[in-house]
Amino acid sequence: MKSKENQNEKLDQLNSLSTSNENEKLTTNQGLKINNNQDSLKSGERGPSLLEDFILREKITHFDHERIPERIVHARGSGAHGVFKLNKSLEKYTKAKFLSEVGKETPVFVRFSTVAGSKGSTDLARDVRGFAIKFYTEEGNYDLVGNNIPVFFIQDAMKFPDLIHAVKPEPDNEIPQAASAHDTFWDFISLMPESMHMIMWAMSDRAIPRSLRMMEGFGVHSFKFINDEGAVHFVKFHFKPKLGVHSVAWDEAQKISGVDSDFHKRDLWEAIESGNFPEWDFGVQVIPEEDENNFDFDLLDPTKLVPEELVPVQIVGTLTLNRNPDNFFAETEQVAFHPGHLVPGIDFSNDPLLQGRLFSYTDTQLSRLGSPNFHEIPINRSINTVHNNQRDGHMRQQIVKGKVSYEPNSIGGGCPFQAMMKDGGFTSQEERVSGTKIRARSESFVDHYSQAKLFYNSQSNPEKEHIQKALIFELSKVDIPEIREKVVGQLAFIEMDLAEKVAEKLGLKVKKLKEPNQSIPADANPASLQSKERDPKVKISEALSMKNTVKDTVASRVIGFILANGVDANAINTLKTKLEKQKARVDFIAPSLAPVKANDGSLITPKHTLTNTSSVCFDALYICSGEKSVKELLNPENKYTVLNFVNEAYKHCKAIYFGAETDAIYKASNVNNKKHEDPAIITSDNKKGDDEFIKAVAQHRVWELEKERNS
Ligand code: HDE
């Protein structure tokens, strides 16, 4: 019923565009009312068009320039507005007002993205996800431009263009799109031991999230907090999703890319529209400046994380996304983030990757948005009024009055004045810096494998298997055998068992490398050449495994109800009410879009047909009760599709509920004949019902039964 209402609402909206305000007439960009928007001006009805047709030319010229260059990385994105609320003051560590006053609410705009693919590429690529937040604070905009993975591939900004060139489609034939499974990426990686920790994350299920709402966010680099007294602490930023961190299976990801390449974008949009607002706990790991050198890794090295066992994450705030953009281009496309958009109380560390970023982001906006006035685009405007002597430039919006555009001045009464520190004037940390001018890397960056090991060893068995399979998939797409061999050689430094399992499927023998990067001259700094492992304090970290994530909610999960005429209305309504009470969503899937007549005569409007969607778009399936319905679902026209739904959901470790009288479907599917105690398969036989099903949906998947389900 709901979907019918939605349809009507949509029609109303469409109609309202033409009828809502009769006084709103079509005009040119100069405000001239247009009398005919159907035909161009011609010399005779069948004659050539006239050059003087300024209305046609304005319309087409604007159209010709509708596209702007897409982001060089993170081109594909989805954004939303929201609010950041502080629940616990960090005043002890930082003078940033939005982190000091308990209860304070700061408006935000968040943009999630994939990295490698172009703007029109699929959401479900195996990739890192960007997690960029613009906080519109009263002290100016603060941007936290992070990722869903807490470390990065490289240690120094110098290598970023190389990394991105390697992962992007190959330059001769522009293949493959939004995929790292190709020669140039793995060629680069095979020669970059420092990337191995990140590779473990990127090959894990973190790189194929179920939803943008179910990913963690990390600031990645160490930043600095500065308090009122000038005391300095290092800080790592974390966002932990209240729905838990969940992912799809790789087979599923590939299929979603075909069925709905906007899967994440749509999921975020629909969750917000339905009032299921995505939420994250915001937390910080705070480290006193004097402890900087007390770790078995360098805090400035972006290929390292700070294990939560060493420094716990203090949860201090909540990030909630509660409003979709009104216009994708104006907001999500034109939003311009920059790690250098700071507020007093937060500063950079000397992480050499972060330092390079500080230059890059303004530069890229200049070519992407085309003007130094990108801060005047509504989505980028600070809520604190901007006063300065910058003037002019492309597309200037602000009309500044008066003669003065310099400082100091008397003519303008000295305005605008510099702000004292007590007025919130920004000052950088007074840091003593001395050193030889040198193009080199610190020896303290030299351990490339310990944390790769930490991550791999912290995974559950199914997670480890997924990493192995991802590596096998990726490397099997690499054409040059030597590259595969070298990567396997790198893996051997992480875990011999991992290297051997991958090698076996590639038909290789493991050869441990001696000098991983032979392309770097021998007199270059040794830090980038070899790895000297340290003995890390933490060998297993629970926070790194998704096994330990939140699994007690079905909120915003999408459950597909498969049904046909004669279905048991009562059973459907009972389960649907229970699920919706817990904020899950129910979608009806039927052989056609014609309303389904239930056994009590009521009509149910399907949202999908069996053929316009697929089980990969749902978190769980309910095969609705009713003998007649089952008969129709198993007729020759529907049988294959229905069984495919069930078999795929089974393969992808989802919860499946076989309602009463659906035995024939159960028996014809792959679920049958398994001797297992599978908690996520609900049948009337195993005496389980609605409540067990809902519990199973909340668990997300039974990954531990994956082998059994696929055997
Ligand atoms: Fe970015 N990055 N990046 N990056 N990055 C961009 O800026 C760059 C890095 C990240 O939704 C670009 O506006 C360099 C790390 C996100 O609009 C560009 C280096 C992390 C987004 C750029 C890095 C990120 C970007 C492209 C190495 C995680 C999307 C368009 C020195 C902490 C923001 C743009 C959005 C975007 C440069 C490394 C995150 C070209 C040079 C590490 C989330 O300026």
Side-chain angles (χ1 to χ4, degrees), residues 147-202:
N147 279 344
N148 74 329
I149 290 179
V151 289
F152 204 64
F153 292 98
I154 47 171
Q155 296 177 320
D156 193 296
M158 191 70 153
K159 299 308 299 166
F160 191 66
D162 297 302
L163 166 73
I164 300 304
H165 289 170
V167 73
K168 283 270 181 186
E170 297 186 2
D172 49 356
N173 56 14
E174 183 80 357
I175 297 176
Q177 181 54 248
S180 50
H182 59 111
D183 286 50
T184 56
F185 177 70
W186 287 101
D187 182 22
F188 178 79
I189 293 300
S190 71
L191 299 166
M192 293 297 284
E194 70 203 54
S195 67
M196 280 301 127
H197 184 197
M198 179 69 165
I199 284 294
M200 288 296 100
W201 285 81

Side-chain angles (χ1 to χ4, degrees), residues 71-74 111 113 130-132 145-147 152 157 160 219-221 335 337 353 356-357 360-361 364-365 368:
R71 288 165 172 82
I72 186 79
V73 279
H74 297 266
R111 184 174 179 275
S113 46
F131 195 129
V145 199
N147 279 344
F152 204 64
F160 191 66
V220 178
H221 313 277
V335 65
F337 294 97
L353 188 67
R357 294 179 73 198
S360 175
Y361 287 68
T364 210
Q365 308 314 344
R368 196 169 71 81

Side-chain angles (χ1 to χ4, degrees), residues 118-156:
S118 37
K119 190 165 170 272
S121 57
T122 175
D123 280 341
L124 264 290
R126 173 175 293 286
D127 202 349
V128 184
R129 300 299 186 286
F131 195 129
I133 309 170
K134 194 176 279 296
F135 296 83
Y136 302 92
T137 89
E138 63 192 61
E139 298 181 290
N141 289 346
Y142 171 60
D143 291 354
L144 187 51
V145 199
N147 279 344
N148 74 329
I149 290 179
V151 289
F152 204 64
F153 292 98
I154 47 171
Q155 296 177 320
D156 193 296

